[in-house]
Amino acid sequence: MPQVPPMPAVDAAEWTKQASGLEIWDSTVGEGDAVKPGATVTVHYTGWLTNGKMFDSSVARGQTISFSLNQVIKGWQEGIPGMKPGGTRRLKIPAVLGYGATGAGRDIPPNAVLIFEVELISSK
């Protein structure tokens, strides 16, 4: 079974806050062409709540996922562009850029801040 990464420290100095409230931390900068807004990307990712509970992981499933950035939460639409293939970026997504006051399913409560580690495999 693939090794799921540990959750990044929520209060680490490496986070860079964007105007929207999204925070970004590039733990590995990739090489090649940067992702453009609205691109279709293939990634490996793991998501946690700030209490450390993992709620989803393509790494744990052993299968990458591909999607258009136009089809995902705003935190990903803003946080993935600029990444380069082979790069790993951490995203701290405020609820307003995530699932907001409704949450998602039984794993993501209302007004949850989400932490993701995203490895970019490719984009087009």
Side-chain angles (χ1 to χ4, degrees):
M1 181 165 163
Q3 184 65 38
V4 175
M7 185 177 101
V10 175
D11 56 357
E14 289 86 354
W15 293 106
T16 303
K17 194 162 199 160
Q18 311 301 303
S20 65
L22 174 71
E23 295 184 56
I24 292 175
W25 171 0
D26 282 319
S27 58
T28 306
V29 177
E31 296 181 11
D33 295 333
V35 174
K36 294 177 175 42
T40 295
V41 296
T42 300
V43 301
H44 251 318
Y45 71 92
T46 301
W48 300 267
L49 301 176
T50 55
N51 66 6
K53 179 183 182 208
M54 183 178 76
F55 59 81
D56 194 12
S57 177
S58 69
V59 178
R61 287 191 298 276
Q63 187 145 13
T64 59
I65 185 168
S66 299
F67 52 84
S68 165
L69 289 177
N70 294 330
Q71 299 174 312
V72 292
I73 60 173
K74 285 186 170 55
W76 281 52
Q77 290 177 22
E78 181 182 334
I80 303 295
M83 286 187 74
K84 296 177 180 179
T88 301
R89 178 172 285 176
R90 295 161 177 181
L91 303 173
K92 189 189 310 181
I93 302 176
V96 67
L97 299 178
Y99 295 101
T102 49
R106 60 176 207 264
D107 292 327
I108 300 175
N111 301 310
V113 173
L114 308 175
I115 308 286
F116 284 97
E117 183 164 284
V118 181
E119 178 190 359
L120 180 67
I121 308 300
S122 64
S123 73
K124 59 183 178 202

